[in-house]
Structure formats: C-alpha cells, structure tokens
Amino acid sequence: MKTARATFVFALVTACRPNAGVSDFPTYVARELGELHTGTTPAAWMQAHPNDTLAIFERRLAAEGDERWCARAVQRSVVGGASAVRDAYFYPPEPPANLALPPAEDARLIQEHCRLGAIWVETAATDSTSGRALAEQTRDALTRRYGPVRAAPDPWVRQALSDPTRAAAVLRLQSAESMRLGLDFFGAAYWRVAGRWTADSGVVVSALDKGLEVGRGRVLAFATLPFAGLRVGRASIDNEERAERKMWSLAVQATRLSGIDTAFANRLLATFAAAEKAFLSNGPGEARPRARVVESQLVAAAKDWIAVSRGLDPTHRAAALLAIDQVLGSAAMGYVLAQEGAGPTRQALTGLGARFVYNQLGGGDGYVHSWLDEARVMDSAGPAGRLATIALLRLGFNESGMCGGAENASRRVSAAAEQLLQSSTDSVESAELHLLAANGYTDIVALAVGAAREYADSSEFVVAAPQARGRAIEHYRQGIARDPQAPDSRDAWLTAWRLLAGLPPTTTRFFCVYD
C-alpha cells in the first residue's frame, strides 16, 4: 500500500525554542551527539523527540555535500542566549544478505526502515575571536566525553609530514590543520580549532568553520557512522576502482578471445599492472620515474600486439583491438600518458592506430577509444563486437572524456542495453545489462528533480520520470536477482530501494557536462 509522501513532510519550524536543562553550547553539543545510536528509525526518533520537525529528502534541502540521506529531523533551540540547530540524519537500511528488495513502492519504508547515521549541531559565530573561544570550549567538552583527540591522516599526508621539505609546504596550506587530523569532509579546508575523536565505529568532529563569506562563520560539531558516507570522494574513489577492475577483466577476456599467444598477452597486460603501480605511487618523486618505465614497456608491447593482430581474421582481430583499448583507456594508463614528456609515447601509439584528442579541461591529449570503435565495426555481430558494445555502455558513450554521449547518453544506454538483452544467454552478462539499463532510466528520474542543476531543464524529463522509475526498478530487480554477488549489485540495491521509497537518486551515471 502506498502512503502519500506528504504525510511525512512537515514545514520547517522558524521559531527557536529554549532548550531545557542546557545553559551552554558545548554541553548541548555533547548531549545531542550522544544520541547517535545505531538502528534508530525516523518513527522511533520522532516518538522520542515530538518537538522536532521531520523532512523527507529533497535535493534543495541537501547540505554539507550530503545527498545520501532519506529523512532529517530538525530541532531549533536557544542555547546560552544564541540560536542553535541540531539535525539528525537518517539513511537507507543495510541491504539484506540476499539483496531482496521490498515488494512494492511504499513511502512508509522511510519512516520504518531508514536508520540514524549522523547528528549535526551548529551555531553562528559572529566574529572570529568569540567563535574561536566557543570552538575551543566545544572541543574541550567533547574531549571530556570521548577522550583525547585522535588524528587519522591519509598515507600521503603522513608521508609528506615526515619529510621536512614537503612538510613545510603542506603546513603552509590553509587546509593543513584539517589534513593533519584526517578531516576529509565537505568544507573541511576552512575548519579551524578542529577536534576529531572515535566513538565505537563512529567519528566525532568539532570545529570553527570560517566559511567562504565574511560574517557567515559557525561553530559546528557532528557525529557520524561509516554507512552515512560523509567522507568526501570515497564513493567516487570506489566507483573508479570498480571501473578499473572491469577494464582489467575485459582486457583479460579479450586477450583470450583473440587467440594470440599468451606471451604477447602477458606483456600487454603487464603494462596495465605497471601503470596501476605508478598511478598509486606516493608522490611525484616515485610516480614519474615509474611512469617513464611504463611508457617504454607500453610502446614495445603495443607494437608487437598490433603487428600480430594484423594477421588475424576479423573476429580475433577485433578482440585484440578491444584488449589493447582497455589497457590504453584505463585511468591508470591515462595518468601515465598525461605526464610531462609523454608526447613521443603518444606519437608512437598514434602510428599504431590509436587516436588522441586535446582535452582543454584535462589540459592534455586524451585517448578517445578509437580501437574500441574499430573493434565494434569489425565484429559487429560477433562476440568481440558484443563485448566492445558493453564497454561503450559502461562509458556512457563518453569515449573522449568530453561528453560524447551528451544529454541523450542516459536514454541511449538504456535502449542499447535492452536491445542486447534480447539476445543475451549468459547470466552474468545479462545481469550487467539490466543494471546498465536501470542506471540509464534512473538518470531520467534524477534529472526530473534537478540533478543537472543549470545544465539541463528538469521540466523536459518530468513527463518521462514516472515510467522511467518503474522501468528502472524492474531492471534492478532482474539484474540483482541474476547476479547478487556482482560488485555493482549492492549499489544497485541502494538505488532501487530509494526509488521504491519514493526518493530521488543520489546522482546521475551517464549524464555528462563538459564545463
């Protein structure tokens, strides 16, 4: 049974209420953050906090770069004579082990199944002196509750700070204080007087946020659990790593399909692995020398690979071209070829048939998957051509990195995936095609509620959005059911759950803006 979404959306309260039993902001912060308990639902929270205002997620309500939540409970209070706001954020539930989705669309999913994942408290800082003092007091109050401040810098920062020369450069950065504590959250570059603690599996943070605008400073504090995903860039990093693994897997599959001797194949694939090591190196002092080595290995392996492939029939040659395309098109190899002095390497690859185009925003020449296109044409009805088409769909038709699929990419992906599904006999392949089709339809839902901001007119997608939501849900069901262990299935479950709960997607997959 569907429940109208408006049932759970209430107008935000503008008046502030005195907060009983608390005379100062630091004490208020410690008390409120202490209410972060795993498993609390919006329904349970509102029963315990009847004066809160509950809002269901809308993109216009998103703050702190967080669009993953499904509901937010707001309390506005007067604490120590100043206004304070406490937001309790709820997130979709943990997917079940079998990734079974709810049977039907139902807005009650939000109230009954979303879970508390973050509590955020803030008050205005009218000037830097009083703001710094209040931030210090807040940090002291949280230290009394959670113990000493505990830093968690990433490996690059840790290494940089261990080198006197590099440490001096890092410490001159405005964001140095946040970097030393490992505060990789939205806006953290502007945080001062910061504190960081761990509490069970969660993280607690306090800071004076100077902000971008004069007079808009604030003292903030929050507690968050890992599943809330508030760390900036973590999801995009995970997606990039998953994309690289897919390219590696397809490169391996294509080398086998080509039938070329494994000695040649292993040399080609070794360049992929070497590029990964260069890409993941700690600092330019280590990465650049490795990149130089990868370049020479790549040119030698590519010359032999292309030479051998020229004597093959179209199907096997197409597979060979697809294999080298996936190696050359990987993010790691793109990094290697973007290094200063890599021009001769790109020229050598161009002589073999690779095509590079200058990317103004990227600041250099980028490979545009010319060998992928050649493989698709050469074996259009064969297995290599099919794999090449799937590789193209993964790219969202954006072969150049400059939005080759434009605003129609989402629709094109869904249509092409559905066409391939008609002849798919492999469960793993069909699972991915269902998810690709679903992601394309999900983009339409996201674009209809303004996900593209000023880059697309949301009204153009409103009429198609309801049907797209239904098609996306059905494709997600089938894709997850066919291969629940696939790396993409967990993310697919979360997206499908949001659609079933009446929520918008958190992002688009194929809509692209070159700006």
Side-chain angles (χ1 to χ4, degrees):
M1 174 181 176
K2 295 183 182 179
T3 303
R5 185 175 175 214
T7 303
F8 305 126
V9 182
F10 305 94
L12 289 175
V13 176
T14 56
C16 295
R17 305 182 181 88
N19 202 283
V22 177
S23 60
D24 61 272
F25 182 74
T27 302
Y28 175 66
V29 166
R31 187 190 74 180
E32 293 300 315
L33 298 191
E35 293 204 51
L36 182 61
H37 302 299
T38 304
T40 304
T41 65
W45 179 274
M46 292 305 294
Q47 187 173 6
H49 303 79
N51 291 326
D52 277 18
T53 298
L54 187 70
I56 303 305
F57 175 83
E58 293 182 50
R59 197 169 297 277
R60 65 181 180 83
L61 300 178
E64 318 307 335
D66 181 19
E67 297 186 352
R68 295 166 56 92
W69 54 277
C70 52
R72 181 179 70 187
V74 182
Q75 178 191 87
R76 300 179 184 273
S77 306
V78 175
V79 181
S83 299
V85 179
R86 187 268 292 131
D87 295 324
Y89 287 93
F90 300 84
Y91 298 83
E94 179 73 10
N98 63 356
L99 296 188
L101 285 163
E105 294 182 55
D106 191 343
R108 291 177 301 181
L109 291 169
I110 297 172
Q111 282 275 16
E112 298 171 3
H113 295 282
C114 285
R115 51 187 171 152
L116 182 63
I119 294 178
W120 184 286
V121 188
E122 66 178 66
T123 188
T126 55
D127 61 81
S128 59
T129 301
S130 62
R132 177 171 288 273
L134 184 57
E136 290 174 347
Q137 295 164 13
T138 302
R139 184 173 59 187
D140 290 343
L142 293 174
T143 297
R144 289 192 293 271
R145 183 181 183 94
Y146 297 107
V149 171
R150 295 185 179 181
D154 64 36
W156 184 89
V157 174
R158 188 180 295 113
Q159 183 184 31
L161 294 176
S162 67
D163 181 320
T165 303
R166 295 167 69 188
V170 170
L171 294 176
R172 285 195 296 269
L173 298 173
Q174 287 190 349
S175 58
E177 184 176 356
S178 295
M179 292 172 66
R180 283 184 295 184
L181 282 179
L183 301 180
D184 52 353
F185 298 96
F186 184 87
Y190 297 95
W191 295 355
R192 305 292 182 268
V193 200
R196 180 193 181 279
W197 304 263
T198 55
D200 297 325
S201 63
V203 173
V204 177
V205 174
S206 72
L208 166 65
D209 180 14
K210 298 178 67 175
L212 287 170
E213 300 179 32
V214 177
R216 298 295 297 273
R218 57 182 178 168
V219 176
L220 60 87
F222 64 91
T224 180
L225 296 171
F227 64 76
L230 293 186
R231 292 177 59 196
V232 171
R234 184 65 256 175
S236 62
I237 291 173
D238 290 342
N239 289 336
E240 289 172 3
E241 291 176 348
R242 196 179 304 159
E244 288 288 279
R245 289 194 295 271
K246 286 181 179 180
M247 296 189 84
W248 167 261
S249 178
L250 186 51
V252 172
Q253 188 176 359
T255 58
R256 293 172 179 168
L257 184 59
S258 73
I260 295 176
D261 186 272
T262 55
F264 291 104
N266 289 340
R267 285 181 60 202
L268 179 66
L269 295 173
T271 66
F272 194 123
E276 284 283 334
K277 290 181 180 179
F279 183 58
L280 298 174
S281 297
N282 291 320
E286 183 181 346
R288 286 171 184 162
R290 284 189 172 185
R292 297 284 83 82
V293 173
V294 175
E295 287 178 42
S296 61
Q297 291 176 341
L298 174 63
V299 171
K303 285 181 177 178
D304 289 344
W305 186 258
I306 293 299
V308 173
S309 72
R310 290 192 177 113
L312 301 176
D313 61 77
T315 293
H316 291 90
R317 177 164 165 74
L321 294 178
L322 176 59
I324 195 171
D325 170 86
Q326 294 298 282
V327 171
L328 196 56
S330 68
M333 195 62 77
Y335 167 80
V336 167
L337 295 176
Q339 297 298 310
E340 185 178 352
T345 300
R346 292 193 296 269
Q347 291 175 6
L349 294 169
T350 299
L352 297 174
R355 182 167 171 257
F356 295 83
V357 172
Y358 182 74
N359 185 328
Q360 186 173 0
L361 295 181
D365 294 328
Y367 173 61
V368 294
H369 291 279
S370 51
W371 278 323
L372 174 64
D373 290 337
E374 194 174 345
R376 290 180 63 229
V377 173
M378 189 174 294
D379 190 44
S380 59
R386 188 179 189 89
L387 289 176
T389 300
I390 292 174
L392 181 62
L393 298 187
R394 291 173 179 172
L395 293 171
F397 292 92
N398 184 17
E399 296 175 278
S400 65
M402 293 180 283
C403 299
E407 66 273 9
N408 292 319
S410 302
R411 290 188 173 97
R412 291 177 66 189
V413 169
S414 292
E418 288 179 331
Q419 184 175 4
L420 281 177
L421 275 168
Q422 295 176 13
S423 56
S424 180
T425 57
D426 179 80
S427 61
V428 173
E429 178 192 89
S430 62
E432 180 175 9
L433 289 171
H434 276 296
L435 298 188
L436 285 166
N439 289 338
Y441 283 120
T442 299
D443 278 6
I444 304 303
V445 181
L447 293 169
V449 294
R453 298 179 174 86
E454 71 273 18
Y455 295 105
D457 183 358
S458 59
S459 64
E460 295 181 3
F461 303 93
V462 170
V463 173
Q467 183 181 15
R469 181 185 293 269
R471 297 290 292 274
I473 290 171
E474 182 56 32
H475 277 298
Y476 281 131
R477 286 192 191 281
Q478 295 191 52
I480 293 170
R482 279 168 169 74
D483 192 5
Q485 302 304 316
D488 291 337
S489 290
R490 183 182 175 86
D491 281 353
W493 187 94
L494 287 167
T495 303
W497 191 94
R498 291 184 70 89
L499 295 176
L500 286 162
L503 295 166
T506 58
T507 186
T508 57
R509 301 298 180 92
F510 304 119
F511 179 81
C512 182
V513 175
Y514 185 69
D515 184 3

